[in-house]
Amino acid sequence: MAVREPKLVQVRTPVGTGAFARADVTVASWYCVGKGRALKPGAVSAAQLGETKLAVWRGDNSRVLAMDARCPHLGADLTQGRVVHGQVVCPMHAWKMGPGGGGCERGLLPTLEHHGLIFVHAGAVCVASRDRITSPNGEENLGRPWLLPPQTIRTSGHLVLGNGFDTGHYGPLHGVELIDAKRVEEDGAVYAVDIRARLVRKRRWRALGLTGREVVARFIGVGAGLTWVSCEAPLRFSVLFSATPLRAKEGGGCRTRVAFFPARGPAVAKLRALGLMYGLVCDDRRVLEGMRFRPNWTAADACLRGYAEMIDGLPHFGGGAGACG
Ligand code: FES
Ligand SMILES: [Fe+2]
């Protein structure tokens, strides 16, 4: 009897069905895990990065250290440990974590304290350099930001941080007419688009004296956890948006933080810029809450699709401390 060859079926994975907007995957990227001043020397804090619980503390010279909270020995919770000479001592068998004499360093994650916030990189190998956190172009000194209160949004952080790339919603939701969107050349884990648009149909724009004014801004997605907006017109300001994934069991979604950097100038100009940014964010928050992504892309979704493609291409972070002992 003739043996039939098995049929080969070619499976194409559409953009946005990799890691993008998936609640069960945390992508290797920089994430904000809280305010710097909330982390006191000598204390071990817990931070959630998707399904992974982290232990975060200050080592020698106040440097922030972070690793998976499961001890690399037998998995005790390191957030129940104590800090001795800048190392966390596990509550179970007293293994020491952190740089210095006899400490386990393998599972330490890259960290950065900047803008009054603490950033941790999910995964030992950084997909984007630290200077992409300090400013939109990695060079400018932006001064101290205004930190807005954190919020929980029950949708993927990718949809929150990718909102500016979704040019198709500018008109219907914000009363902003798109003129032009151009991709900017960047390296692998950074995705940037230059936007030109016009503020047209919203009472808010009239109240701010901005009706008919042109918007010139650059949106820069830094990995899957941060997005910069650098606005040149009609008002100058920069914003760093962060979204950190929450545990599915606790309702999922993300915890967002906003660092707002007004341009130097009179207070009234700074408040107008904040009003412009805040109005847009409030419109978005309403529709993003509970949004469940499906990849039914159209030509008008090209920018958001490019951002999704960048995230789909990033490695996944599974937590876990390195082998020590
Ligand atoms: S479980 Fe942490 S030292 Fe044993
Ligand atoms: Fe929006």
Side-chain angles (χ1 to χ4, degrees):
M1 202 168 94
V3 179
R4 274 206 189 163
E5 288 287 321
K7 260 194 187 171
L8 287 178
V9 182
Q10 206 180 357
V11 180
R12 282 184 61 231
T13 311
V15 173
T17 55
F20 182 72
R22 255 176 67 181
D24 58 332
V25 173
T26 298
V27 178
S29 284
W30 287 102
Y31 296 94
C32 177
V33 295
K35 275 190 179 179
R37 70 163 190 240
L39 183 62
K40 306 283 183 228
V44 193
S45 265
Q48 206 63 39
L49 255 191
E51 300 305 312
T52 306
K53 182 178 178 182
L54 300 180
V56 187
W57 73 99
R58 291 190 182 278
D60 283 347
N61 307 321
S62 226
R63 196 181 124 208
V64 176
L65 300 168
M67 67 189 294
D68 190 313
R70 281 170 302 159
C71 176
H73 179 211
L74 297 181
D77 184 350
L78 293 174
T79 65
Q80 293 177 21
R82 62 208 161 86
V83 180
V84 179
H85 304 306
Q87 295 175 319
V88 167
V89 180
C90 178
M92 196 72 140
H93 312 97
W95 279 28
K96 292 186 256 170
M97 311 295 147
C104 175
E105 295 185 46
R106 281 262 181 92
L108 289 175
L109 296 169
T111 61
L112 177 71
E113 188 169 7
H114 206 81
H115 306 312
L117 298 168
I118 292 174
F119 300 88
V120 176
H121 191 276
V125 181
C126 296
V127 299
S129 63
R130 284 175 174 79
D131 58 13
R132 298 315 302 247
I133 302 174
T134 56
S135 74
N137 56 16
E139 289 164 10
E140 232 174 315
N141 180 5
L142 295 170
R144 279 167 72 96
W146 299 356
L147 298 178
L148 307 191
Q151 294 196 35
T152 297
I153 305 183
R154 297 296 174 193
T155 195
S156 163
H158 304 166
L159 295 174
V160 176
L161 297 176
N163 184 269
F165 301 113
D166 179 8
T167 54
H169 86 291
Y170 288 9
L173 189 64
H174 297 306
V176 176
E177 203 174 78
L178 179 71
I179 301 169
D180 196 22
K182 264 196 210 130
R183 173 94 188 262
V184 181
E185 234 11 85
E186 285 281 4
D187 63 18
V190 178
Y191 180 80
V193 173
D194 278 340
I195 296 289
R196 278 176 59 237
R198 197 176 307 283
L199 303 171
V200 283
R201 299 177 303 275
K202 266 266 175 195
R203 242 187 263 150
R204 189 188 300 137
W205 307 142
R206 214 175 312 139
L208 287 166
L210 295 172
T211 303
R213 298 282 297 276
E214 194 169 308
V215 178
V216 179
R218 177 170 290 185
F219 289 81
I220 308 159
V222 179
L226 305 171
T227 288
W228 280 102
V229 180
S230 173
C231 189
E232 287 299 317
L235 301 164
R236 288 194 62 221
F237 61 89
S238 297
V239 191
L240 178 61
F241 292 96
S242 89
T244 304
L246 296 169
R247 275 187 91 187
K249 255 195 190 163
E250 282 148 24
C254 62
R255 187 86 169 142
T256 64
R257 285 184 186 268
V258 178
F260 177 76
F261 301 84
R264 286 180 229 292
V268 74
K270 295 180 180 179
L271 289 171
R272 254 175 111 213
L274 182 67
L276 171 65
M277 190 275 303
Y278 198 69
L280 294 166
V281 166
C282 287
D283 292 340
D284 288 327
R285 200 199 183 296
R286 193 164 41 88
V287 291
L288 286 169
E289 185 68 48
M291 179 171 169
R292 288 179 59 201
F293 171 73
R294 51 191 294 188
N296 189 18
W297 303 110
T298 68
D301 306 316
C303 289
L304 181 61
R305 191 183 153 134
Y307 176 68
E309 211 161 7
M310 180 271 280
I311 290 178
D312 277 355
L314 296 175
H316 299 182
F317 171 66
C324 280

